[in-house]
């Protein structure tokens, strides 16, 4: 047996054994049948804590009357053999320079991923990337520096994906990523793949520290989607490779989908993102204001709504660019420009006796509000412009606050202490919880226009609108009905206690100079 100190113990009773329960079950069955066994391999922890591989063979012992009395056997230390086998396996399936899977293992995993996607009715994506102008690094700094860069690039790509995904090196400066378990709908899956590709592009655009030198090497990236074993793995790899060369043809440091329709969609998003960046630099974004009135139609203030005065497209509305700005992080810069413009407008109104009490409400995006410096940025803009904080109202949504209620309350309290007001926008469309609602330092609830639209024809919408009004009053909050378009809607809401209104009945969004004192 393995050693004299453990004589009398069964193999599964030996301390430090690392064997699966399935292996033990099979081995116990042999022993219970009193069978001879050969080369039962098991791993144990040695005295120094390092794993040791042992191969055990044994045969049953019977007494003179044929009764089974036990086993005698022989154990051999096969640790070196196992290490050699592991090294052979590593060399056969893994790239020696980066430690990533090589082409052989990549193709095996791609076949398995395609089969898994087919079983689960989801999509996968194959990303093929090549480092632009990598040859220059080898030519100018030497192959050793090139190797260091490849190792860093491989680590960066691996850090951009999940542990269930595969990153492989095909050779040279070519890397491949397998993403699986993407959305069942192809369009949604393509967006998920594009997000990962953009993350990889951003990471590989950062400079490399190669033996003390700062080196830049951007990637070109091709994407091929799949959801079954067709096309075969090798053909899928060729598709992604072709898409990568299309990315190089478009000027490098970009990505392309193999599918023309997806590529057109990705190109449109990329062009729009570039346009937004340029628009922010050129200050092409401006504010239109929609009045908020009281029961007499007197203007109390306005909601600021961002518009984009595009030099070619004309006036572009938020639905066409806000989501992309949020996704790319450009919403932070856009939000600051909106806040700046609104505060400057408040300062202008403060010099006019008929408008100096007006408030401006601006919508705050999730990404803005979650930014750790958001409170300080708002206070900085108020200080720089000289706007009265009491005239500024920030409109938040329920979904925004639900992510981290405590952090939201802390930020709201910090701004409220300086006079900034808060409105909960589109109330009733999210997952309202009275337990946190009563803790929020709010001034106002806004009834979503979806409820107001059918308030005269849908009893459910009417009941919800009335409930929101009652709830707001019980909490000591103002309530504003959005989307009021008819006198019938206004009168119904007025009868049920609503005293603030916003909608086309009182005016469409427009430039500040078109706002009249009475609507």
């Amino acid at each position: 047996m393995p050693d004299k100190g453990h004589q009398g113990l069964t193999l599964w009773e030996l301390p430090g054994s690392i064997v699966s329960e399935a292996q033990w079950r099979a081995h116990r069955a042999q022993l219970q049948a009193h069978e001879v066994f050969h080369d039962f391999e098991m791993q144990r922890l040695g005295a120094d804590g390092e794993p040791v591989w042992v191969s055990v063979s044994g045969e049953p012992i019977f007494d003179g009357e044929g009764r089974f009395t036990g086993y005698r056997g022989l154990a051999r230390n096969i640790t070196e053999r196992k290490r050699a086998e592991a090294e052979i396996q590593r060399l056969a399936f893994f790239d020696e320079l980066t430690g990533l899977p090589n082409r052989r293992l990549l193709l095996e995993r791609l076949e398995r991923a395609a089969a898994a996607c087919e079983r689960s009715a989801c999509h996968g994506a194959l990303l093929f990337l090549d480092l632009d102008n990598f040859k220059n690094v080898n030519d100018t700094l030497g192959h050793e520096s090139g190797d260091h860069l490849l190792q860093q690039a491989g680590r960066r790509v691996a850090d951009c994906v999940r542990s269930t995904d595969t990153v492989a090196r095909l050779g040279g400066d070519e890397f491949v990523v397998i993403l699986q378990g993407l959305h069942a709908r192809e369009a949604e899956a393509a967006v998920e793949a594009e997000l990962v590709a953009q993350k990889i592009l951003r990471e590989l655009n950062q400079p490399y520290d190669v033996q003390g030198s700062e080196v830049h090497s951007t990637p070109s990236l091709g994407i091929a989607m799949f959801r079954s074993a067709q096309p075969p793995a090798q053909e899928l790899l060729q598709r992604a490779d072709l898409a990568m060369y299309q990315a190089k043809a478009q000027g490098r440091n970009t990505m392309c989908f193999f599918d023309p329709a997806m590529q057109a969609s990705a190109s449109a998003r990329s062009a729009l993102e570039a346009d937004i960046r340029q628009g922010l630099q050129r200050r092409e974004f401006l504010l239109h204001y929609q009045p908020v009135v009281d029961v007499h139609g007197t203007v109390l203030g306005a909601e600021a709504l961002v518009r984009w005065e595009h030099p070619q497209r004309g006036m572009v509305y938020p639905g066409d660019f806000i989501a992309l700005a949020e996704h790319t992080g450009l919403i932070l810069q856009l939000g600051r420009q909106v806040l700046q413009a609104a505060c400057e407008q408040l300062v202008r109104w403060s010099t006019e006796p008929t408008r100096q009490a007006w408030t401006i409400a601006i919508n705050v995006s999730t990404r803005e509000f979650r930014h750790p410096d958001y409170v300080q940025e708002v206070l900085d803009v108020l200080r720089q412009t000289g706007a009265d904080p009491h005239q500024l109202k920030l409109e938040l949504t329920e979904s925004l606050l639900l992510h981290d209620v405590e952090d939201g309350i802390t930020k709201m309290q910090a701004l409220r202490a300086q006079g900034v007001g808060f409105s909960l926008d589109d109330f009733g469309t999210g997952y309202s919880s009275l337990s946190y609602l009563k803790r929020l330092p709010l001034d106002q609830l806004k009834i979503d226009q979806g409820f107001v639209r059918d308030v005269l024809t849908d009893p459910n919408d009417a009941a919800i609108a009335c409930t929101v009004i009652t709830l707001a009053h019980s909490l000591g909050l103002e309530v504003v009905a959005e989307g009021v378009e008819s006198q019938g809607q206004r009168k119904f809401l007025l009868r049920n206690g609503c005293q603030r209104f916003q909608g086309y009945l009182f005016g469409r969004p427009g430039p500040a100079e078109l706002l009249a004192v009475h609507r």
Side-chain angles (χ1 to χ4, degrees), residues 26 112 142 237 320 368 396:
R112 290 203 299 268
L237 195 60
D320 294 330
E368 283 181 278
L396 312 177

Side-chain angles (χ1 to χ4, degrees), residues 401 404-414 436 439-441:
L401 291 167
D404 189 338
V405 175
E406 298 305 323
D407 180 64
I409 292 173
T410 300
K411 287 177 177 175
M412 292 172 72
Q413 288 174 337
Y436 84 80
R439 297 176 56 209
L440 297 175

Side-chain angles (χ1 to χ4, degrees), residues 385-403:
T385 58
D388 184 350
H390 296 84
Q391 307 302 114
L392 178 66
K393 212 176 283 291
L394 302 179
E395 293 195 359
L396 312 177
T397 62
E398 295 175 61
S399 57
L400 179 156
L401 291 167
L402 280 173
H403 173 73

Side-chain angles (χ1 to χ4, degrees), residues 185-445:
R185 290 199 300 271
E186 190 174 41
E188 297 290 338
V191 171
E192 291 175 335
E194 184 184 345
L195 289 177
V196 176
Q198 288 176 339
K199 186 176 182 181
I200 292 171
L201 284 170
R202 285 195 300 271
E203 288 302 313
L204 296 188
N205 265 269
Q206 301 303 313
Y208 297 87
D209 181 1
V210 178
Q211 297 182 320
S213 298
E214 185 176 289
V215 178
H216 295 263
S217 183
T218 59
S220 292
L221 197 149
I223 306 174
M225 305 298 296
F226 63 89
R227 66 172 303 168
S228 69
Q230 295 300 324
Q234 191 62 51
E235 183 178 338
L236 193 61
L237 195 60
Q238 291 171 356
R239 290 185 177 186
D241 189 19
L242 178 61
M244 183 272 292
Y245 277 106
Q246 291 174 345
K248 283 191 178 294
Q250 291 184 12
R252 303 175 186 270
N253 195 23
T254 188
M255 65 177 182
C256 281
F257 278 95
F258 173 78
D259 182 83
M262 291 182 189
Q263 180 54 48
S265 178
S267 296
R269 283 193 297 271
S270 180
L272 181 59
E273 179 182 349
D275 266 6
I276 295 173
R277 291 183 187 278
Q278 195 169 63
L280 288 168
Q281 291 173 356
R282 295 178 177 178
R283 311 292 289 196
E284 292 171 357
F285 294 90
L286 51 86
L287 295 183
H288 279 185
Y289 298 89
Q290 185 171 37
V292 176
V293 305
D294 65 11
V295 294
H296 306 294
T298 302
V299 175
L300 304 173
E303 179 179 354
L305 301 165
V306 66
R307 301 289 187 263
W308 183 7
E309 199 167 30
H310 194 282
Q312 283 80 43
R313 305 183 192 192
M315 193 64 73
V316 183
Y317 291 87
D320 294 330
F321 62 84
I322 286 294
L324 183 60
E326 176 90 10
H327 165 67
T328 58
L330 293 172
I331 196 71
L332 299 176
Q333 188 178 349
L334 177 59
R336 189 175 178 92
Q337 287 191 12
V338 167
L339 177 63
Q340 180 94 18
C343 288
E344 289 171 352
Q345 185 60 57
L346 284 173
V347 172
R348 285 191 289 272
W349 282 344
S350 69
T351 64
E352 304 175 37
T354 57
R355 294 177 172 83
Q356 60 186 7
W358 283 5
T359 61
I360 290 180
I362 63 172
N363 293 285
V364 180
S365 79
T366 300
R367 196 153 183 171
E368 283 181 278
F369 193 71
R370 291 179 186 171
H371 195 282
D373 297 329
Y374 179 70
V375 170
Q376 191 57 50
E377 287 183 358
V378 172
L379 297 177
D380 286 346
V381 171
L382 285 166
R383 185 180 64 254
Q384 291 163 9
T385 58
D388 184 350
H390 296 84
Q391 307 302 114
L392 178 66
K393 212 176 283 291
L394 302 179
E395 293 195 359
L396 312 177
T397 62
E398 295 175 61
S399 57
L400 179 156
L401 291 167
L402 280 173
H403 173 73
D404 189 338
V405 175
E406 298 305 323
D407 180 64
I409 292 173
T410 300
K411 287 177 177 175
M412 292 172 72
Q413 288 174 337
L415 289 169
R416 183 76 180 276
Q418 302 302 314
V420 177
F422 287 93
S423 176
L424 194 57
D425 199 11
D426 301 336
F427 184 73
T429 61
Y431 303 92
S432 310
S433 169
L434 298 182
S435 63
Y436 84 80
L437 184 62
K438 67 182 182 181
R439 297 176 56 209
L440 297 175
L442 294 168
D443 301 278
Q444 186 181 88
L445 294 183

